[in-house]
Amino acid sequence: MNIQSVPYDHPDAVKLNDEVQAEYVERYGDPDLTVMDPTHFEPPRGLYLLAYDAQGRPVASGGWRSQERSEEGHVDGDAEIKRMFVVREARGQGLARRILAALEDSARAAGRQRMVLETGTEQPEAIALYTSCGYVPITKFGLYRFEESSRCYGKPLAQAADAGRSSGLVGSSAEDATGA
């Protein structure tokens, strides 16, 4: 598996984003309407990753973007995970864990203090992945913070340096994350 940093508006990233949005519609009835700008994922204030299979097909994605204190509930020093996704035929191979570990390492290196994400009750495999990697429920933030099905999780980066790396390589059935 080849994991590469790409711009959020790279054609392969757009393709996987379209797929994750279709899955959100399937699970929730609507796409994610959170405003996303390609500049949010430009290093050092963010990062966007794609995983490619042996045939060069994009099969997984994930990114983080810097957040500071906001009316939507963000806290200074946050790195918000967005668009974690693994295509159906590549699930169960540990790709989500590998991308998550790389995102955590990148955000830590950029001086971010905490990884945060918003997911939902219709994504139990995503919730299982994050909780198995040390994420705990936090105060809701973001566009969907008032939705009953919304769930927000966080993980301090400074205290998670060793745990994040070791958990990033451990496989389980929770590897089929379909979004944050």
Side-chain angles (χ1 to χ4, degrees):
M1 206 53 55
N2 178 12
I3 298 176
Q4 297 180 16
S5 173
V6 300
Y8 180 72
D9 56 358
H10 183 282
D12 291 339
V14 171
K15 176 185 177 190
L16 288 190
N17 189 53
D18 290 346
E19 287 187 40
V20 73
Q21 290 286 26
E23 190 149 335
Y24 293 151
V25 169
E26 192 176 299
R27 291 180 185 227
Y28 295 100
D30 292 302
D32 180 358
L33 300 177
T34 303
V35 175
M36 306 279 274
D37 184 309
T39 62
H40 293 168
F41 299 94
E42 292 176 357
R45 306 247 337 125
L47 180 71
Y48 200 77
L49 299 174
L50 288 181
Y52 291 89
D53 67 11
Q55 291 73 42
R57 295 177 298 213
V59 294
S61 65
W64 70 268
R65 60 185 183 170
S66 294
Q67 294 288 359
E68 305 302 338
R69 186 168 308 281
S70 72
E71 292 179 5
E72 287 193 346
H74 293 100
V75 176
D76 289 344
D78 280 351
E80 181 184 14
I81 297 171
K82 296 302 294 178
R83 298 300 185 259
M84 285 285 293
F85 179 70
V86 178
V87 299
R88 284 185 171 106
E89 58 271 15
R91 292 178 184 170
Q93 299 177 34
L95 295 177
R97 285 185 186 278
R98 289 180 58 196
I99 288 176
L100 183 60
L103 294 175
E104 289 174 354
D105 287 344
S106 169
R108 187 180 300 107
R112 299 279 92 192
Q113 300 298 305
R114 178 177 77 153
M115 296 299 283
V116 298
L117 64 100
E118 188 272 336
T119 189
T121 57
E122 298 304 312
Q123 296 165 267
E125 62 285 307
I127 292 170
L129 168 72
Y130 296 124
T131 57
S132 74
C133 289
Y135 287 76
V136 297
I138 60 171
T139 302
K140 289 183 178 182
F141 66 88
L143 180 65
Y144 297 102
R145 66 191 178 280
F146 302 116
E147 298 292 326
E148 180 60 33
S149 65
S150 174
R151 299 292 183 268
C152 292
Y153 294 87
K155 178 180 179 180
L157 288 173
Q159 299 171 5
D162 295 332
R165 283 192 194 95
S166 65
S167 67
L169 299 176
V170 177
S172 83
S173 62
E175 295 157 350
D176 300 338
T178 56

